[in-house]
Amino acid sequence: MWNKFKRNKLALIAAAVIFLEVLLAIFAPLIAPYDPREPDYVNFLKGPGENHLLGTDDLGRDVFSRLIYGIRVSLSAGLISVLIALAVGIPIGLIAGYYRGFLDEFVIMRFTDAMMSLPSLVLALALSAIMGAGLKNAMIAIGIIFTPRYIRLVRGEVLSIKEAQFVEAAKSLGMSDIRILFKHILPNIMSPILVQATLSIASGIIVEASLSYLGLGTQPPIPSWGTMLSTGQGYLDQAPWIALSSGMAIFISVLAFNLMGDGLRDMLDPKI
């Protein structure tokens, strides 16, 4: 599998970018030259230079430092929201696909269809508005809108594998349904789940940035790429580096996760 993955140069570069972002997020206090929350009214809207690599914002805060700390918010939002969706979606999908019946056809799947019929961002906005602004509520909202994807994905995989011979053998040995589901079926359907999780992290970064941009996600003065983009919009003529740096950070991160997801899909596909 590793040989297949490393032949995909774009996926390999994407994995290196993600690894670098993780390191920057972990060691942000050591790398960032300034406090990302501390204003400096003397140097506000100062252009990129020797003292401020990417310039300063409207309050004189170092844009590079805020960009580094913003990685923590974006990666946390993407990862935690996906973990929430996995924790809820996998068990429900396993039960729906394995037992079928009225609960599956007329309750779980109809609810899933209703959730997936709504645009993700609109649903996230509605949930965030109900629960209140803040990063924690934004991650929960994103996790909720991602859950139907995993219910449908896991259910479909279970339907395709539950009649396999190794499942029939497990039943004939008297194993419990819980053991069959989590020890025999789930490990055999993890490949598409991992690929979907990687792609969902990219979507989570976009949704979190959108919520922060609209004031329903990360709240100031906590640095977030979405809030930096919102701030920079008002200073495109005077200080384009504020919006440009945060926009490029979102673009690179989302592209890296999508490319790595494609690489994982090729690596885990037994037909290739």
Side-chain angles (χ1 to χ4, degrees):
M1 287 191 296
W2 168 246
N3 287 333
K4 285 195 289 185
F5 184 79
K6 71 180 182 180
R7 283 199 297 268
N8 190 331
K9 302 303 181 184
L10 287 176
L12 208 58
I13 294 172
V17 170
I18 293 170
F19 180 70
L20 177 62
E21 287 189 346
V22 171
L23 290 180
L24 290 173
I26 293 173
F27 298 105
L30 301 176
I31 298 171
Y34 297 94
D35 186 340
R37 303 186 187 187
E38 188 67 30
D40 182 2
Y41 299 109
V42 176
N43 293 312
F44 69 95
L45 298 181
K46 187 176 181 181
E50 184 179 350
N51 294 329
H52 299 280
L53 186 61
L54 295 177
T56 61
D57 63 6
D58 58 324
L59 297 178
R61 297 171 298 192
D62 183 63
V63 172
F64 177 71
S65 299
R66 291 180 63 78
L67 206 66
I68 295 297
Y69 274 87
I71 298 175
R72 289 183 167 186
V73 173
S74 294
L75 291 184
S76 298
L79 183 60
I80 294 175
S81 61
V82 168
L83 290 176
I84 292 172
L86 289 172
V88 178
I90 288 178
I92 295 176
L94 287 172
I95 293 170
Y98 190 75
Y99 292 107
R100 301 296 300 275
F102 176 83
L103 181 64
D104 168 42
E105 294 290 343
F106 296 99
V107 179
I108 295 176
M109 294 315 298
R110 298 295 75 78
F111 175 76
T112 301
D113 291 340
M115 291 280 287
M116 295 186 70
S117 66
L118 298 171
S120 298
L121 183 56
V122 173
L123 187 56
L125 285 170
L127 292 173
S128 297
I130 293 170
M131 294 187 292
L135 178 59
K136 181 180 177 181
N137 290 338
M139 290 189 292
I140 295 173
I142 298 170
I144 292 173
I145 67 173
F146 284 170
T147 299
R149 302 182 186 182
Y150 293 97
I151 294 176
R152 181 174 288 278
L153 173 64
V154 173
R155 176 183 178 271
E157 293 295 324
V158 173
L159 288 175
S160 67
I161 205 174
K162 75 172 190 175
E163 303 299 335
Q165 290 185 352
F166 69 89
V167 177
E168 295 295 332
K171 290 180 181 178
S172 66
L173 291 173
M175 293 184 182
S176 65
D177 290 344
I178 295 295
R179 187 175 181 184
I180 292 173
L181 283 171
F182 287 95
K183 187 175 180 180
H184 295 281
I185 293 180
L186 182 58
N188 282 281
I189 63 173
M190 282 305 297
S191 296
I193 294 175
L194 288 175
V195 173
Q196 181 61 46
T198 305
L199 299 175
S200 294
I201 292 175
S203 300
I205 292 173
I206 293 178
V207 176
E208 186 281 325
S210 302
L211 292 176
S212 297
Y213 177 85
L214 296 171
L216 291 173
T218 307
Q219 298 299 296
I222 300 174
S224 166
W225 292 344
T227 54
M228 291 175 66
L229 200 60
S230 178
T231 300
Q233 182 185 10
Y235 298 94
L236 287 176
D237 293 334
Q238 300 169 269
W241 54 84
I242 303 174
L244 184 62
S245 59
S246 54
M248 286 300 297
I250 295 171
F251 170 76
I252 291 171
S253 297
V254 171
L255 181 63
F257 275 105
N258 281 324
L259 290 175
M260 193 175 78
D262 289 339
L264 287 176
R265 181 169 50 202
D266 294 341
M267 181 183 77
L268 297 171
D269 190 349
K271 297 178 182 178
I272 298 179

PDB file of all heavy atoms in Angstrom, residues 218-233:
ATOM      1  N   THR A 218     -15.289  30.950  15.497  1.00  0.00           N
ATOM      2  CA  THR A 218     -14.288  31.424  16.456  1.00  0.00           C
ATOM      3  C   THR A 218     -14.472  32.917  16.713  1.00  0.00           C
ATOM      4  O   THR A 218     -14.606  33.705  15.783  1.00  0.00           O
ATOM      5  CB  THR A 218     -12.875  31.153  15.916  1.00  0.00           C
ATOM      6  OG1 THR A 218     -12.775  29.776  15.556  1.00  0.00           O
ATOM      7  CG2 THR A 218     -11.825  31.473  16.964  1.00  0.00           C
ATOM      8  N   GLN A 219     -14.463  33.287  17.975  1.00  0.00           N
ATOM      9  CA  GLN A 219     -14.706  34.681  18.347  1.00  0.00           C
ATOM     10  C   GLN A 219     -13.392  35.410  18.632  1.00  0.00           C
ATOM     11  O   GLN A 219     -12.460  34.837  19.206  1.00  0.00           O
ATOM     12  CB  GLN A 219     -15.608  34.740  19.577  1.00  0.00           C
ATOM     13  CG  GLN A 219     -16.987  34.141  19.354  1.00  0.00           C
ATOM     14  CD  GLN A 219     -17.755  34.858  18.269  1.00  0.00           C
ATOM     15  OE1 GLN A 219     -18.082  36.042  18.403  1.00  0.00           O
ATOM     16  NE2 GLN A 219     -18.062  34.155  17.186  1.00  0.00           N
ATOM     17  N   PRO A 220     -13.299  36.680  18.228  1.00  0.00           N
ATOM     18  CA  PRO A 220     -12.108  37.488  18.540  1.00  0.00           C
ATOM     19  C   PRO A 220     -11.908  37.563  20.046  1.00  0.00           C
ATOM     20  O   PRO A 220     -12.890  37.510  20.808  1.00  0.00           O
ATOM     21  CB  PRO A 220     -12.454  38.860  17.964  1.00  0.00           C
ATOM     22  CG  PRO A 220     -13.517  38.593  16.948  1.00  0.00           C
ATOM     23  CD  PRO A 220     -14.295  37.420  17.466  1.00  0.00           C
ATOM     24  N   PRO A 221     -10.650  37.661  20.511  1.00  0.00           N
ATOM     25  CA  PRO A 221      -9.416  37.856  19.728  1.00  0.00           C
ATOM     26  C   PRO A 221      -8.710  36.566  19.330  1.00  0.00           C
ATOM     27  O   PRO A 221      -7.563  36.610  18.908  1.00  0.00           O
ATOM     28  CB  PRO A 221      -8.547  38.653  20.705  1.00  0.00           C
ATOM     29  CG  PRO A 221      -8.925  38.102  22.045  1.00  0.00           C
ATOM     30  CD  PRO A 221     -10.411  37.799  21.961  1.00  0.00           C
ATOM     31  N   ILE A 222      -9.375  35.400  19.506  1.00  0.00           N
ATOM     32  CA  ILE A 222      -8.748  34.133  19.120  1.00  0.00           C
ATOM     33  C   ILE A 222      -8.474  34.150  17.617  1.00  0.00           C
ATOM     34  O   ILE A 222      -9.385  34.416  16.823  1.00  0.00           O
ATOM     35  CB  ILE A 222      -9.654  32.945  19.484  1.00  0.00           C
ATOM     36  CG1 ILE A 222      -9.902  32.913  20.991  1.00  0.00           C
ATOM     37  CG2 ILE A 222      -9.019  31.632  19.033  1.00  0.00           C
ATOM     38  CD1 ILE A 222     -10.902  31.856  21.417  1.00  0.00           C
ATOM     39  N   PRO A 223      -7.250  33.897  17.195  1.00  0.00           N
ATOM     40  CA  PRO A 223      -6.928  33.955  15.759  1.00  0.00           C
ATOM     41  C   PRO A 223      -7.553  32.800  14.989  1.00  0.00           C
ATOM     42  O   PRO A 223      -7.443  31.641  15.383  1.00  0.00           O
ATOM     43  CB  PRO A 223      -5.400  33.874  15.731  1.00  0.00           C
ATOM     44  CG  PRO A 223      -5.026  33.228  17.026  1.00  0.00           C
ATOM     45  CD  PRO A 223      -6.064  33.610  18.021  1.00  0.00           C
ATOM     46  N   SER A 224      -8.230  33.123  13.928  1.00  0.00           N
ATOM     47  CA  SER A 224      -8.845  32.133  13.048  1.00  0.00           C
ATOM     48  C   SER A 224      -8.737  32.636  11.620  1.00  0.00           C
ATOM     49  O   SER A 224      -8.843  33.840  11.367  1.00  0.00           O
ATOM     50  CB  SER A 224     -10.317  31.912  13.422  1.00  0.00           C
ATOM     51  OG  SER A 224     -11.005  31.211  12.412  1.00  0.00           O
ATOM     52  N   TRP A 225      -8.543  31.723  10.679  1.00  0.00           N
ATOM     53  CA  TRP A 225      -8.404  32.134   9.282  1.00  0.00           C
ATOM     54  C   TRP A 225      -9.679  32.795   8.778  1.00  0.00           C
ATOM     55  O   TRP A 225      -9.624  33.720   7.966  1.00  0.00           O
ATOM     56  CB  TRP A 225      -8.063  30.929   8.423  1.00  0.00           C
ATOM     57  CG  TRP A 225      -6.691  30.388   8.715  1.00  0.00           C
ATOM     58  CD1 TRP A 225      -5.684  31.020   9.392  1.00  0.00           C
ATOM     59  CD2 TRP A 225      -6.166  29.109   8.336  1.00  0.00           C
ATOM     60  NE1 TRP A 225      -4.574  30.219   9.464  1.00  0.00           N
ATOM     61  CE2 TRP A 225      -4.837  29.038   8.822  1.00  0.00           C
ATOM     62  CE3 TRP A 225      -6.683  28.022   7.649  1.00  0.00           C
ATOM     63  CZ2 TRP A 225      -4.036  27.924   8.626  1.00  0.00           C
ATOM     64  CZ3 TRP A 225      -5.888  26.908   7.450  1.00  0.00           C
ATOM     65  CH2 TRP A 225      -4.569  26.858   7.935  1.00  0.00           C
ATOM     66  N   GLY A 226     -10.826  32.336   9.244  1.00  0.00           N
ATOM     67  CA  GLY A 226     -12.078  32.927   8.820  1.00  0.00           C
ATOM     68  C   GLY A 226     -12.251  34.357   9.305  1.00  0.00           C
ATOM     69  O   GLY A 226     -12.679  35.234   8.556  1.00  0.00           O
ATOM     70  N   THR A 227     -11.903  34.612  10.572  1.00  0.00           N
ATOM     71  CA  THR A 227     -12.009  35.974  11.108  1.00  0.00           C
ATOM     72  C   THR A 227     -10.970  36.890  10.468  1.00  0.00           C
ATOM     73  O   THR A 227     -11.232  38.072  10.240  1.00  0.00           O
ATOM     74  CB  THR A 227     -11.828  35.973  12.633  1.00  0.00           C
ATOM     75  OG1 THR A 227     -10.588  35.324  12.973  1.00  0.00           O
ATOM     76  CG2 THR A 227     -12.953  35.228  13.326  1.00  0.00           C
ATOM     77  N   MET A 228      -9.784  36.351  10.164  1.00  0.00           N
ATOM     78  CA  MET A 228      -8.770  37.152   9.473  1.00  0.00           C
ATOM     79  C   MET A 228      -9.253  37.537   8.073  1.00  0.00           C
ATOM     80  O   MET A 228      -9.028  38.652   7.608  1.00  0.00           O
ATOM     81  CB  MET A 228      -7.462  36.360   9.378  1.00  0.00           C
ATOM     82  CG  MET A 228      -6.754  36.157  10.707  1.00  0.00           C
ATOM     83  SD  MET A 228      -5.296  35.096  10.551  1.00  0.00           S
ATOM     84  CE  MET A 228      -4.241  36.128   9.533  1.00  0.00           C
ATOM     85  N   LEU A 229      -9.919  36.616   7.408  1.00  0.00           N
ATOM     86  CA  LEU A 229     -10.464  36.900   6.083  1.00  0.00           C
ATOM     87  C   LEU A 229     -11.540  37.976   6.163  1.00  0.00           C
ATOM     88  O   LEU A 229     -11.610  38.872   5.317  1.00  0.00           O
ATOM     89  CB  LEU A 229     -11.028  35.621   5.480  1.00  0.00           C
ATOM     90  CG  LEU A 229     -11.220  35.549   3.968  1.00  0.00           C
ATOM     91  CD1 LEU A 229      -9.910  35.751   3.241  1.00  0.00           C
ATOM     92  CD2 LEU A 229     -11.840  34.208   3.586  1.00  0.00           C
ATOM     93  N   SER A 230     -12.377  37.883   7.200  1.00  0.00           N
ATOM     94  CA  SER A 230     -13.431  38.884   7.390  1.00  0.00           C
ATOM     95  C   SER A 230     -12.842  40.259   7.669  1.00  0.00           C
ATOM     96  O   SER A 230     -13.297  41.273   7.128  1.00  0.00           O
ATOM     97  CB  SER A 230     -14.345  38.450   8.534  1.00  0.00           C
ATOM     98  OG  SER A 230     -15.348  39.409   8.781  1.00  0.00           O
ATOM     99  N   THR A 231     -11.811  40.300   8.517  1.00  0.00           N
ATOM    100  CA  THR A 231     -11.152  41.575   8.825  1.00  0.00           C
ATOM    101  C   THR A 231     -10.468  42.147   7.601  1.00  0.00           C
ATOM    102  O   THR A 231     -10.573  43.342   7.304  1.00  0.00           O
ATOM    103  CB  THR A 231     -10.118  41.373   9.951  1.00  0.00           C
ATOM    104  OG1 THR A 231     -10.768  40.884  11.126  1.00  0.00           O
ATOM    105  CG2 THR A 231      -9.419  42.689  10.282  1.00  0.00           C
ATOM    106  N   GLY A 232      -9.775  41.288   6.868  1.00  0.00           N
ATOM    107  CA  GLY A 232      -9.029  41.748   5.705  1.00  0.00           C
ATOM    108  C   GLY A 232      -9.905  42.257   4.582  1.00  0.00           C
ATOM    109  O   GLY A 232      -9.448  43.058   3.749  1.00  0.00           O
ATOM    110  N   GLN A 233     -11.171  41.816   4.542  1.00  0.00           N
ATOM    111  CA  GLN A 233     -12.072  42.266   3.489  1.00  0.00           C
ATOM    112  C   GLN A 233     -12.260  43.786   3.513  1.00  0.00           C
ATOM    113  O   GLN A 233     -12.402  44.416   2.473  1.00  0.00           O
ATOM    114  CB  GLN A 233     -13.427  41.579   3.631  1.00  0.00           C
ATOM    115  CG  GLN A 233     -14.417  41.944   2.539  1.00  0.00           C
ATOM    116  CD  GLN A 233     -15.775  41.340   2.772  1.00  0.00           C
ATOM    117  OE1 GLN A 233     -16.052  40.799   3.832  1.00  0.00           O
ATOM    118  NE2 GLN A 233     -16.646  41.423   1.782  1.00  0.00           N
TER     119      GLN A 233
END
